[in-house]
Amino acid sequence: MTNKHIADIGTGWPKLPPLEAWQDTCNTLHMWTQIVGKVRLMLSPDINHCWGSTLYVTARGLTTSPIPYGIFTFAIDFDFIAHMLHITTSKGADRTFALEPMSVADFYCKTMQALDELGIEVKILARPVEVEVAISFEKDDQHASYDKEAASLFWRALVQVDCVLKDFRARFIGKVSPVHFFWGAFDLAVTRFSGRTAPKHPGGAPNVAARVMEEAYSHEVSSAGFWPGTGLGEAAFYAYAYPSPAGFNEYKVQPEAAYFHDKLGEFILPYEAVRTTGNPAQTLLSFLQTTYEAAATLAHWDRDALERKTVKV
């Protein structure tokens, strides 16, 4: 990919290829991020709702952020411009390898070998979560695709979405998650909390322990995010509430392209419907705000105590 091409697609919200055209790459990247995320999970403090295991959007890709290890820290970064995986330490040592078509098994081996060479010992549960078929990482030769342009375009969409979700997050003074990338579901998300406890979650996520879901939804939430659309067929934004209050699915939300997906139990807004508007950021904010209002109003949240009265212009 030329520098000019990079500059051109970096000027706004990129047009994403049809999901079916890069689904194999998406699936492979999903597994790669799970390997990296599980390293952070094992070595980082156990923050509530699994917030200590997520990844974050950067100016070049995705990062674990600094992970503590004895007297030093290290970070693992996906670079979707140079298409490299970087492992760097606060001691000045580093290891790097190219992101290119390779099996999950090979990626797992290279990552663990690089960590070992840096003196970092870690043992992870070497199988994926939140997928129906959980192939052990060291045995997964099925997922081995990497389309550089598709990966870069998806990351550039994440950059745009990350900015809007952070704007939306700043408007809430109650308990609210960071804007973070969950490698389990392969989505960028932000979650607001009412402050009240919620009914015990019934679980049911594939290959996820019930206790994980119970902690994630221990309190009432209004959550929103963005994912490539696996299971839907196109990249899209989502919004849901737990527990879902009566009338939530019928609440009038914006923009007009948004709809309630009965099977998923969430409001959905196609990415393309946002990208092609005159003001994608404002269009997305309208979706985030009105779906939050659906949850907070119908469930009688104390909105006066939870929302900022003024925001930076």
Side-chain angles (χ1 to χ4, degrees):
M1 187 178 293
T2 66
N3 289 336
K4 181 181 183 302
H5 191 190
I6 289 173
D8 288 344
I9 64 175
T11 57
W13 295 63
K15 180 175 176 58
L16 299 177
L19 179 59
E20 62 183 13
W22 74 288
Q23 184 72 73
D24 289 344
T25 290
C26 181
N27 293 342
T28 300
L29 267 177
H30 189 182
M31 296 301 99
W32 290 359
T33 60
Q34 290 218 11
I35 292 167
V36 170
K38 281 172 173 275
V39 171
R40 185 183 182 210
L41 172 66
M42 292 305 299
L43 296 177
S44 296
D46 185 15
I47 302 174
N48 55 307
H49 311 304
C50 294
W51 293 352
S53 67
T54 58
L55 307 180
Y56 307 97
V57 175
T58 72
R60 298 188 68 92
L62 292 169
T63 183
T64 57
S65 74
I67 299 171
Y69 191 81
I71 61 172
F72 67 94
T73 64
F74 72 99
I76 307 177
D77 291 80
F78 288 91
D79 182 338
F80 295 125
I81 294 178
H83 300 285
M84 306 292 290
L85 188 86
H86 302 285
I87 307 177
T88 55
T89 77
S90 58
K91 298 191 298 182
D94 64 84
R95 291 293 185 276
T96 299
F97 62 84
L99 298 178
E100 58 190 3
M102 78 177 89
S103 69
V104 171
D106 285 344
F107 181 92
Y108 175 73
C109 180
K110 286 187 176 186
T111 301
M112 302 309 286
Q113 180 179 341
L115 290 169
D116 184 65
E117 291 173 358
L118 291 168
I120 299 166
E121 295 183 11
V122 59
K123 184 175 178 60
I124 67 173
L125 179 61
R127 63 174 176 78
V129 297
E130 297 194 51
V131 291
E132 294 290 347
V133 180
I135 307 171
S136 297
F137 297 139
E138 65 266 35
K139 297 180 180 179
D140 188 353
D141 294 318
Q142 176 179 327
H143 301 106
S145 299
Y146 188 72
D147 180 325
K148 290 183 178 181
E149 184 166 359
S152 180
L153 289 170
F154 177 63
W155 159 68
R156 290 183 183 279
L158 289 176
V159 169
Q160 300 292 336
V161 176
D162 184 64
C163 292
V164 179
L165 292 184
K166 285 176 177 173
D167 186 347
F168 178 66
R169 180 186 187 273
R171 304 178 183 199
F172 197 75
I173 60 174
K175 176 181 173 181
V176 58
S177 76
V179 176
H180 45 199
F181 190 86
F182 271 110
W183 40 267
F186 205 63
D187 64 338
L188 189 68
V190 66
T191 302
R192 292 176 169 186
F193 293 77
S194 73
R196 302 187 303 232
T197 57
K200 184 177 179 180
H201 195 278
N207 290 294
V208 178
R211 59 176 176 77
V212 174
M213 302 301 292
E214 290 167 11
E215 182 182 325
Y217 296 101
S218 60
H219 291 70
E220 290 181 347
V221 303
S222 171
S223 188
F226 169 71
W227 94 114
T230 299
L232 180 68
E234 63 175 330
F237 302 94
Y238 65 82
Y240 64 89
Y242 182 80
S244 182
F248 181 71
N249 61 323
E250 300 173 348
Y251 200 92
K252 181 65 176 177
V253 302
Q254 297 176 0
E256 289 188 4
Y259 63 95
F260 191 84
H261 194 293
D262 289 326
K263 185 176 180 180
L264 295 176
E266 304 173 339
F267 283 104
I268 297 296
L269 175 62
Y271 171 82
E272 189 67 7
V274 171
R275 186 190 71 83
T276 54
T277 62
N279 190 334
Q282 189 56 49
T283 299
L284 177 53
L285 279 170
S286 71
F287 176 73
L288 299 171
Q289 181 62 30
T290 56
T291 53
Y292 159 71
E293 289 174 356
T297 300
L298 294 174
H300 307 292
W301 288 26
D302 187 354
R303 295 184 59 186
D304 287 339
L306 295 170
E307 299 170 20
R308 291 183 67 182
K309 301 302 183 289
T310 59
V311 294
K312 182 174 66 175
V313 178

